[in-house]
Amino acid sequence: MFEFIPNTPEDQRKMLAEIGLKDVQELFDDIPKEILNKFKPTSLEPLSEFEAKQLLSTLAQDNANTDDYVSFLGGGIYDHYVPSSIPHLISRGEFLTCYTPYQAELSQGTLTWMFEFQTMICELTGMEVANSSMYDGGSALAEAMLMAKNITERKKFLVARSINPHYWDCLKTYAWGAGLELIDVPFTEDGRLDRAFVQKEVASLAGLIVQSPNFFGVIEDLTGLKDAIKEAFLMVSANPISLGILAPPGVFGADIVVGEGQPLGNFQNFGGPLLGLFATRMSYVRRMPGRMAGRTVDMDGKTGYVMALQTREQHIRREKATSNICTNQALMALVATIYLAMLGPHGLRRLAEINLQKAHYLAERISPLPGFTLRFSGPFFNEFVVQSRKKPARILKALREDGFLGGIDLAPYGVLDGNNLLIAVTEKRTRDEMDRFVKVLKRT
Amino acid sequence: MFEFIPNTPEDQRKMLAEIGLKDVQELFDDIPKEILNKFKPTSLEPLSEFEAKQLLSTLAQDNANTDDYVSFLGGGIYDHYVPSSIPHLISRGEFLTCYTPYQAELSQGTLTWMFEFQTMICELTGMEVANSSMYDGGSALAEAMLMAKNITERKKFLVARSINPHYWDCLKTYAWGAGLELIDVPFTEDGRLDRAFVQKEVASLAGLIVQSPNFFGVIEDLTGLKDAIKEAFLMVSANPISLGILAPPGVFGADIVVGEGQPLGNFQNFGGPLLGLFATRMSYVRRMPGRMAGRTVDMDGKTGYVMALQTREQHIRREKATSNICTNQALMALVATIYLAMLGPHGLRRLAEINLQKAHYLAERISPLPGFTLRFSGPFFNEFVVQSRKKPARILKALREDGFLGGIDLAPYGVLDGNNLLIAVTEKRTRDEMDRFVKVLKRT
Amino acid sequence: MGTTIFDIGEEGRSALRLPALDVPEKNLTELIPAEFIRKEDAKLPQVSQIEVVRHYTKLSRMNYGVDNGIYPLGSCTMKYNPRINEDTARLPGFASAHPLQGEELSQGALRLMYELGEYLCAIGGMDAITLQPAAGAHGELTGMLLIKKHFERTKGLHKRTKILLPDSAHGTNPASAAICGFEVVHIPSDSRGLVDLEALQAHLDDSVTGIMLTNPNTLGLFETDILEITRLVHDVGGLVYYDGANLNAIVGRARPGDMGVDIVHYNLHKTFSTPHGGGGPGAGPVAVVKKLEPYLPVPRIVKDGKKYSFDYERPHSIGKIHSFYGNFGVLVRAYTYIRMLGDAGLKAVSTNAVLNANYLRARLSKVYKAPYDRICMHEFVLTTKGMSEELRTLDVAKRLIDYGVHPSSIYFPLIVPEVMMIEPTETVSKEELDQFADALIKVAQEMKENPQILKEAPHVVPVYGASVRRLDDVRAAKEPILRG
Amino acid sequence: MGTTIFDIGEEGRSALRLPALDVPEKNLTELIPAEFIRKEDAKLPQVSQIEVVRHYTKLSRMNYGVDNGIYPLGSCTMKYNPRINEDTARLPGFASAHPLQGEELSQGALRLMYELGEYLCAIGGMDAITLQPAAGAHGELTGMLLIKKHFERTKGLHKRTKILLPDSAHGTNPASAAICGFEVVHIPSDSRGLVDLEALQAHLDDSVTGIMLTNPNTLGLFETDILEITRLVHDVGGLVYYDGANLNAIVGRARPGDMGVDIVHYNLHKTFSTPHGGGGPGAGPVAVVKKLEPYLPVPRIVKDGKKYSFDYERPHSIGKIHSFYGNFGVLVRAYTYIRMLGDAGLKAVSTNAVLNANYLRARLSKVYKAPYDRICMHEFVLTTKGMSEELRTLDVAKRLIDYGVHPSSIYFPLIVPEVMMIEPTETVSKEELDQFADALIKVAQEMKENPQILKEAPHVVPVYGASVRRLDDVRAAKEPILRG
Ligand SMILES: Cc1ncc(COP(=O)(O)O)c(C=O)c1O
Ligand SMILES: Cc1ncc(COP(=O)(O)O)c(C=O)c1O
């Protein structure tokens, strides 16, 4: 018998008797014989838990990780410290093993934190309403685009070329699927959106998609953008940690704010599971994708929470739904909720400041090095692009040998000429690590 | 403010007002000034959780561990596999952060598993009653000795020299404290207790202390021992895993059975926390040390559990208590309970068989090697002594370089002449690991 | 109840000390233009660590999960989530790996993904796979994009605009198809609860891109005509998309690939035991037949000798549909599970999932009406229609809560009125099945004898059970309060 | 309720697959004589993994821990247990280290123990330490053995037979002393609740080995005469043992070593935040003044340059009192905690522990009788004596449960009738203190207005609260059922 399956042969015998069958094979009589006869197994033998653990440990050891390496990798996924309380709390079976809160009375825990999460995301982004998660930053941006298309009934989108190219790739896929037109907006020498370009393309525009801090770490100037594009949607993808010090997109008139929520207490997980953030104006709430919790009362008038505005969703609205999303990234949203609760307003601000200060410390030490220059002049948050004389691959190799994950070689993305390295600095990086990092750069 | 202390300056102000004080210093006015003035701090600066984690990780990396090394170490602590479910379940705050179940109605979880644990230990040992834990195998044995002294009102104890020398050291300390006489019983060439010696010392004997499998891994012959020592106490320390295949001490008439419960799903923890097992006859229950849960009913007649027979314990009986134990090793007993529930009767038996078979596989491959012989001829469970021509320290060093924790050098214990290595084999050791182990031995 | 973290705490508290700033601190406005700086802090909670732990511990206790008892949501496969999965997924080499650390430093992760892909292909009888989709619906969308790409490449897109969908389909199916601009055509079910072959044929022509088929379907019935269906669709040049949400019914003994399907998505959070996490994350890998392989999302994971790498050079790929490689942590869990089960275990899964469902069906169809009363697969539907004038299935579900068990799915599929859709999974014991059946039978009795108690259900009960009484959904819709 | 794991499952189920036996299997009787082989398997439960997880999840929900709310057990210091402690203790280098792997491969563990010893000595103002004792009582026993050794070495043991103990002492104190054969002499408390100096003096002569003193004592009062007491005891050649269970009151601002004590034990599971685990494990390190150092248990951890090692060569040592080095995993937790707090944090602990206790005392002494109504330290006592004819403190405690909070310690110390001993610790918020005080004040009112409700308490309540009604202790004592 298998540890995960309680039925014993005796149990099976009793159950078959109740059903009125002789053999479990009969349960599958509806499956055509041709199909059953073609079946081929995988040839995998069962493993004990111990053997499986050994196998998986071996695989895991075959990957670098940011416990063993000192990481300056960012590009959307950051090596922030995950407080111990978080994995402990989210591992509680009642959080981990429940599903979508279909039965509200048995799901007040989930519904309550969803409500908390929505509130926090509104606070961070300066928006009026947030959903309880999307798949990731990339698909959240794509969903924003689809929502803008649905509301504006237009198909033309401007996309800042300075957004994360991984998101840009996702946008392209979704846009092709939905028959939308994407126009790249170039960036200027300071690493920011070319506003003049935007001005020229406002006609019949569905929306403008911009990211701040952008892929290069540069903080975009969002002032006046909404005015410039008028009724077209201003969609901003933001790093939630940066919102500890940066003015929220909401104050610049953004219509939709999205972002990647991984930095909010989630592990890097080799890029998934992640957490798509999504917030908008209350006036668009019924056109918004994703699940939401809403506050209500029970039969005794006591406060409680339910899933709200489900009539937007696919299980009711089907092909007319605001989105096809069903299973989302709930557990990661719970992580973010606990993380933000732990930090509080002052903690989040200070965390953002520490990231900012440390990134500038490193940038200032790299920029005077011969063979290295800062690529952009615009203000940046916790990430910046360094242009190098030598090939990034060579530099990264040298760094790796000294125990550093040194940054991201931007060559494969084709957005920048020459040799460029994207370097991120979080609160985990110490001065000593940065000084050693600079020493290695000097040597190469 | 500190993350573990909620009070803000404002909270403090309000509370002081309620108390009628001006300053927190006044709370400490009862402490004589001479004392306060002598105070010297530790000079430790506070650390953030991240910094503490880094520091502790550095310390942890400075230790070998049986994930990174292939371990053949035993001698009371064994490298068995700990199923994942166990750390997950015992980490639930309701198990981890509660204390002794003083308020039974808020502690039915703890009291129920205590009751389950007691039942399981009775089943394993073949005894009638068990307590819910002692500190460790060594102190459990010492407590057995004290209990035998109290009941027999005698002071002379025979102690098999083949018991774990670490326990033997504990017995010596306790015996000296309590004014008891310990007489060592030698072992014969097969590694077992010299029964003839016992026969000669029966007069005015309080008890005989024996361990099986003993320190050398050899299974003692308990048959007829109780008859030989008559009303004196037969006290047996047993490895609980071995009881999957070995006849329980209870069937040989043991009066008290103790043991080290670490092998039952507990991590090795560099030797602590451990789990002292303790079981005896029902007729001695009121003289037994340690906490117990008992079954009863509530006001509605529903089954529930309470702490039973507390009148034996120090908080009521004070200097006349059966023991001074208060805080015990509850969480480790919960681990053992879950572990035994997971294995079940067949699993435990099979686990014991696997240990036995693998240990014999290795022993048979070592014994023909030139320069190595099995030290004892007696039957053994999952551990055995190998006598070597070369110094064990040299052999262990060679093994270590190949990634093995090769066994325990018995030289420091002074119980055996010559070069001796104690080698343990658990279900985690694969044939491949053992074959490689033997190759290294060959080379040395 | 109703208390949020915002209702707790005091100005100035915090639950986490940050590492000290060990570099010289500059004036903020030296680094960022003042107009970009936030004026007012986000209004986040201000709580100490113990308050955080207590609050979320308490919230968790207001939930019911698989760990708390039977959770027979039809179409959701709420099976046991082995704890070993959590531990393997949290190994630092997986949890703390960065997606852009390079192939050379990611061989373990790549190998895991490559091998998991192979296993899933073998399990499904398919040729190639992408692990990128983050959930079933995401997989469906990927599938629709693949179909679109196929017809774009084969120059059929101008006339092919429709997608066929049985009326018992899950809502994500039409919603996913709609994103790609396909026109959804619903195919009715026949009296057997299966695709009405005649109706299908009536819609089959060269305007059709294909069909989305859930099998076993959401009534828990195997589409016995599936070979005929796939043949018919192929005959008009269409493709067959197989929604594998219900794979638990056949895993280890039958393969979609052997049924003539072109695309199939797997729900790793259903069939392969990864936890549902309160709504996610999941993973919805999509496997295809050989001819569709060129269209799969980039990057693909390829193996060359002993080396694994990402392949981005796929000119006909639909592109990326996830920021990185999908829900990798979920993939680790599914990999662990598949390796532990092996072939014998996988087969035991479907055997016992189907056995358990039929046992419940046999017991419950004596009391409730089973619209399709025959051997079912891993799940089945019942209805309360006609059992009471005043009571609805909702009332039955809420009353079940009072018995300490979780209700089944209700009001889905849409084609059965007042439906309960019951999927026990293979990981519940016969005793738990009996407990659930006993409760449901008791409630049927109460429907007659004490309707009021159903209307007022759930009641607040200790240890397990509801933490509030029945909640007002209407109010939440009319005056939505969506943030604190 | 009442269900044990033995009531669950079926013959043949198991929750864990074992690794395959990959060596040739021999006949059992070839390896072990038949008469040593077990005839009948132990009757253990037979359950699948999900049944294990569900059962223990359910049991946990019938418990109340620090994570669930205020837990003001006097003398137990039920403070918050930081989760980081659990993670550091489970690092493989700690959790999976074998105690006999050798000094060379254990430098991290040795350094941790060495440094923790240094910190504890500094905190206590003492000279040397052993970390071996597994709990407070184990530390007491160690202390008694040290005293015995001291007088054995100084040839005083023949006449020195007594140990003095204030009547407010914890039960472990006399029990520990008794194991060493010391005669326990109880010293009464005076009207201040402190050691009666005259009574003490009356007992002081050269038959005395020393005194065991808890400070602050179990009434929550600082022994203001402590300098006088230690001097008097020293004057007759006795030693002073300081029970440091209540160190939380003074940590970071006053040190036992500065009070003239010779031996002190620490409870790491109280002052230093390690979790209580349902009753243990704890750790009870014992620190001493220089002259007693030679007697400390072996092995001691010593440092030579940068190398740490075990020192067994201590001819006058009392020997070993633990199989290995004590509850190492608990030491890791305490080390983590001390390093995170630093001096400022340690001082904040005592400040707020004492502040919280006094705040509660101020609020509650208006309603209950405070036998010693003055500024207290980290805890204080109240009595219900005289408040009701028919009700006892037990009833008050049980009724508190209905309000979702954990009662305080009751009926200890023995010298106050119908006592409640309340220790909130520094980790509860003012709001939680108020919630507790409000509940206790409400119960005082109910004592008058509705005594019956107290007698029937606790009632079974949802989410938190009792899972059974009041249990019959007497029956459990009369007819003990101690196993299933
Ligand atoms: C039949 C069916 N198809 C598709 C889905 C969508 O899967 P997901 O929720 O993972 O997006 C579901 C989910 O419940 C389903 O039951
Ligand atoms: C004052 C006092 N001394 C000693 C002890 C015994 O400590 P332990 O339970 O750790 O053995 C306690 C425990 O509660 C105590 O309160």
Side-chain angles (χ1 to χ4, degrees), chain C residues 11 28 97 113 122 136 144 156 175 188 215 226 236 275-276 287 409 421 425 470 483:
Chain C
E11 167 69 34
L28 212 54
M113 290 195 284
M144 292 304 103
N215 185 38
I226 186 147
V236 297
H276 284 81
S409 293
M421 186 197 203
T425 84
R470 201 180 299 191
R483 52 155 299 177

Side-chain angles (χ1 to χ4, degrees), chain D residues 305-429:
Chain D
K306 291 202 148 199
K307 196 175 164 303
Y308 299 87
S309 53
F310 291 119
D311 182 3
Y312 283 92
E313 301 307 313
R314 319 262 322 162
H316 304 311
S317 163
I318 58 167
K320 276 176 74 120
I321 50 114
H322 185 270
S323 304
F324 298 99
Y325 324 118
N327 281 343
F328 176 75
V330 178
L331 307 180
V332 176
R333 291 171 172 86
Y335 181 97
T336 307
Y337 179 73
I338 290 171
R339 290 303 305 255
M340 282 184 74
L341 259 57
D343 283 317
L346 291 170
K347 186 168 185 180
V349 164
S350 55
T351 303
N352 291 285
V354 173
L355 178 64
N356 285 358
N358 277 286
Y359 176 69
L360 270 191
R361 188 190 48 74
R363 285 205 57 193
L364 290 171
S365 61
K366 293 173 187 156
V367 177
Y368 292 86
K369 205 179 144 214
Y372 310 96
D373 197 14
R374 48 187 310 240
I375 297 296
C376 64
M377 299 301 288
H378 65 300
E379 67 188 0
F380 62 101
V381 294
L382 297 175
T383 176
T384 63
K385 183 91 184 169
M387 288 175 75
S388 161
E389 290 283 275
E390 45 182 337
L391 294 169
R392 303 187 54 207
T393 286
L394 182 72
D395 301 301
V396 171
K398 296 299 181 200
R399 180 58 184 158
L400 260 186
I401 294 175
D402 289 341
Y403 289 100
V405 292
H406 196 287
S408 68
S409 294
I410 54 177
Y411 300 110
F412 175 68
L414 307 177
I415 57 171
V416 178
E418 297 300 326
V419 72
M420 288 188 279
M421 183 196 204
I422 303 175
E423 179 183 9
T425 85
E426 76 282 4
T427 69
V428 281
S429 65

Side-chain angles (χ1 to χ4, degrees), chain A residues 4 6-7 12 15 18-19 28 30 34 36 39 41-44 46-47 59-60 62-66 74 77 91-99 103 105-110 115-116 118-119 122-124 128 135-136 138 166-167 169 173-174 176-177 192 243 245-247 267-273 286 293-300 305-306 314 318-319 324 327-331 337 341-342 344-347 349-350 354 356-358 364 400 405 408 430-431, chain C residues 2 4-5 11 15 18-19 22 25-26 28 36-38 41-47 55-56 59-60 62-64 66-68 71 81 90 92-93 95-98 100-101 104-109 111 137-138 141 145 148-149 152 169 171-172 174 176 178 180 186 224 227 249 252-253 269 275-281 318-320 322-324 326-329 339-343 352 356 366 374 398 426-427 458 469-473 476-477 481-484:
Chain A
F4 305 145
N7 284 344
Q12 293 186 332
M15 289 160 81
E18 173 78 29
I19 302 167
F28 299 93
D30 272 353
E34 300 102 289
L36 291 175
F39 180 77
T42 65
S43 303
L44 292 171
L47 295 181
L59 290 178
D62 235 358
N63 298 314
N65 69 73
T66 59
I77 305 292
S91 298
R92 287 181 60 86
E94 295 92 335
F95 282 141
L96 185 72
T97 71
C98 64
Y99 205 8
Q103 293 292 336
E105 296 83 0
L106 285 182
S107 312
Q108 286 300 295
T110 296
F115 189 82
E116 294 171 352
Q118 294 162 201
T119 308
C122 288
E123 281 294 331
L124 278 192
E128 292 165 341
Y135 300 135
D136 63 357
H166 296 278
Y167 301 174
D169 283 343
T173 308
Y174 276 75
W176 167 78
R192 296 196 281 188
L243 297 179
I245 32 172
L246 296 185
F267 288 106
Q268 298 165 94
N269 289 327
F270 199 58
R286 284 168 207 271
R295 185 177 269 164
T296 185
V297 292
D298 78 358
M299 282 173 104
D300 295 336
Y305 301 88
V306 293
Q314 40 71 27
R318 303 181 74 81
E319 58 267 32
N324 68 334
T327 294
N328 55 17
Q329 302 285 121
L331 202 67
T337 309
M342 290 188 76
H346 313 306
R349 174 179 285 270
R350 187 65 189 153
I354 293 174
L356 176 90
Q357 297 278 355
K358 291 196 169 184
E364 275 173 31
R400 195 156 68 222
L405 296 173
I408 300 168
T430 62
R431 181 178 188 153
Chain C
T4 72
I5 190 81
E11 167 69 34
L18 295 171
D22 58 358
E25 183 153 11
K26 300 213 169 168
L28 212 54
F36 295 175
I37 296 177
R38 187 164 193 130
D41 284 345
K43 283 190 210 68
L44 297 174
Q46 305 198 40
V47 286
H55 177 69
Y56 291 101
L59 287 194
S60 77
M62 289 154 53
N63 269 0
Y64 182 109
V66 172
D67 282 7
N68 304 111
Y71 202 147
N81 310 126
R90 279 184 209 162
S96 298
H98 189 285
L100 302 175
Q101 64 193 21
E104 218 173 301
L105 295 180
S106 309
Q107 286 296 302
R111 181 178 147 201
H138 208 202
L141 174 60
L145 293 168
K148 185 163 184 167
K149 182 60 91 177
E152 187 184 83
T172 50
S176 299
C180 291
H186 289 284
T224 50
L227 293 171
R253 59 175 70 237
H269 47 302
H276 284 81
I318 58 167
K320 278 178 70 125
H322 185 271
S323 304
F324 298 98
N327 280 341
F328 176 75
R339 292 302 307 253
M340 283 184 75
L341 257 57
D343 283 317
N352 290 285
N356 286 356
K366 293 173 187 156
R374 48 186 311 239
K398 296 300 180 198
E426 75 283 5
T427 69
R469 297 197 58 205
R470 201 180 299 191
L471 290 157
D472 188 344
D473 277 310
I481 308 175
L482 303 171
R483 52 155 299 177

Side-chain angles (χ1 to χ4, degrees), chain A residues 28-223:
Chain A
F28 299 93
D29 281 353
D30 272 353
I31 307 182
K33 285 280 161 304
E34 300 102 289
I35 296 172
L36 291 175
N37 290 341
K38 281 191 186 158
F39 180 77
K40 280 204 209 77
T42 65
S43 303
L44 292 171
E45 288 297 323
L47 295 181
S48 71
E49 187 181 303
F50 166 61
E51 291 157 328
K53 180 84 179 284
Q54 295 284 96
L55 170 64
L56 273 290
S57 299
T58 309
L59 290 178
Q61 273 155 20
D62 235 358
N63 298 314
N65 69 73
T66 59
D67 291 353
D68 293 343
Y69 282 85
V70 174
S71 173
F72 292 90
L73 294 172
I77 305 292
Y78 301 89
D79 182 28
H80 293 290
Y81 178 66
V82 176
S84 280
S85 306
I86 294 180
H88 281 269
L89 288 168
I90 68 158
S91 298
R92 287 181 60 86
E94 295 92 335
F95 282 141
L96 185 72
T97 71
C98 64
Y99 205 8
T100 308
Y102 293 117
Q103 293 292 336
E105 296 83 0
L106 285 182
S107 312
Q108 286 300 295
T110 296
L111 287 159
T112 306
W113 74 245
M114 282 167 65
F115 189 82
E116 294 171 352
F117 174 77
Q118 294 162 201
T119 308
M120 291 173 180
I121 299 308
C122 288
E123 281 294 331
L124 278 192
T125 57
M127 303 300 286
E128 292 165 341
V129 61
N131 74 17
S132 69
S133 76
M134 309 299 287
Y135 300 135
D136 63 357
S139 70
L141 202 49
E143 291 266 12
M145 175 177 72
L146 297 179
M147 176 172 146
K149 168 209 137 198
N150 290 337
I151 296 178
T152 62
E153 294 179 353
R154 294 176 179 178
K155 300 199 160 191
K156 182 173 119 182
F157 287 87
L158 290 174
V159 182
R161 202 59 185 91
S162 52
I163 71 164
N164 190 317
H166 296 278
Y167 301 174
W168 188 82
D169 283 343
C170 293
L171 285 180
K172 271 211 320 193
T173 308
Y174 276 75
W176 167 78
L180 309 178
E181 182 194 1
L182 299 190
I183 300 171
D184 287 344
V185 182
F187 46 88
T188 54
E189 259 318 288
D190 60 0
R192 296 196 281 188
L193 181 84
D194 183 342
R195 296 170 75 102
F197 187 96
V198 171
Q199 292 290 6
K200 284 181 289 177
E201 290 283 357
V202 171
S204 73
L205 187 65
L208 166 64
I209 292 172
V210 49
Q211 177 179 323
S212 179
N214 65 26
F215 183 59
F216 311 127
V218 177
I219 301 165
E220 294 279 0
D221 182 359
L222 303 174
T223 330

Side-chain angles (χ1 to χ4, degrees), chain D residues 171-246:
Chain D
T172 51
N173 288 194
S176 300
I179 293 176
C180 291
F182 293 152
E183 181 194 335
V184 174
V185 178
H186 289 284
I187 309 293
S189 304
D190 62 18
S191 61
R192 303 170 302 167
L194 304 178
V195 170
D196 184 326
L197 271 189
E198 269 178 47
L200 174 68
Q201 273 169 305
H203 283 290
L204 280 175
D205 57 32
D206 63 2
S207 70
V208 164
T209 59
I211 187 168
M212 290 182 94
L213 206 61
T214 306
N215 186 37
N217 68 23
T218 63
L219 300 167
L221 302 173
F222 195 92
E223 292 286 352
T224 49
D225 300 325
I226 187 147
L227 293 171
E228 178 75 359
I229 295 171
T230 55
R231 195 183 52 73
L232 287 171
V233 174
H234 287 157
D235 282 352
V236 297
L239 294 172
V240 178
Y241 182 94
Y242 186 103
D243 178 333
N246 294 341

